[in-house]
Amino acid sequence: MPNNSALADFILKWKRLVNNVLADMNSGVLPDLEMYRGPLADLLDEVLELSSELQSRRGVKQQGHKELEVLKRKGRYHASKLSSALKAHYGPQSEELLKYGIPPVRSRPRPAGESEGPTPVIPPEPAPETQAPETAEASKPEGPAPTPQDTASQKS
């Protein structure tokens, strides 16, 4: 189905063709081509009529959608008020609300194994302070190791 701009192009071309052929036939430039021009002129009239009808329908349809949105908004408002009244009457946790399509307020189920009372918070124990182990290099005295000769000279 052609879009509106393509349809408008066809309409312009056909109008020009029909009108110019009619003018030239009346002036005697062209022979009688009414058997060809007539069906196109009738078709052009139908296209113009249908096109204008579609345009008016489009406007009506758009207006209808706007009105429908307003009605939906009002309906949501009134449904909310009625739901609130039913919740006030039965209570927010009543299973009776289900028959009106209103979900009751339910508490979330606890996972299995979880106790009923509050869980005490145990602070983490501080990690014991550890000193770096002494390495073999740390135990070595600075400088060269004493030799047995050095030890004998120190005694004397």
Side-chain angles (χ1 to χ4, degrees), residues 122-135:
I122 302 172
E125 294 182 19
E129 292 184 27
T130 57
Q131 295 178 349
E134 292 184 20
T135 59

Side-chain angles (χ1 to χ4, degrees), residues 11 14 37-50:
I11 290 172
W14 294 346
R37 191 199 71 79
L40 182 58
D42 293 341
L43 186 67
L44 181 60
D45 291 339
E46 284 182 48
V47 167
L48 289 172
E49 183 180 325
L50 183 59

Side-chain angles (χ1 to χ4, degrees), residues 23-97:
D24 286 348
M25 280 181 2
N26 289 339
S27 66
V29 174
L30 287 176
D32 185 18
L33 298 176
E34 188 59 33
M35 63 195 282
Y36 301 112
R37 191 199 71 79
L40 182 58
D42 293 341
L43 186 67
L44 181 60
D45 291 339
E46 284 182 48
V47 167
L48 289 172
E49 183 180 325
L50 183 59
S51 179
S52 68
E53 187 178 319
L54 289 174
Q55 290 297 326
S56 70
R57 281 187 199 167
R58 184 175 294 134
V60 169
K61 183 179 175 184
Q62 287 174 349
Q63 183 62 33
H65 279 290
K66 286 180 184 178
E67 291 173 6
L68 185 60
E69 286 301 315
V70 169
L71 292 175
K72 282 172 37 179
R73 192 177 323 118
K74 286 180 181 178
R76 283 192 298 265
Y77 172 77
H78 290 295
S80 173
K81 286 207 164 263
L82 183 57
S83 296
S84 295
L86 288 168
K87 287 178 187 177
H89 177 74
Y90 287 113
Q93 296 176 338
S94 173
E95 295 295 318
E96 285 290 314
L97 295 172

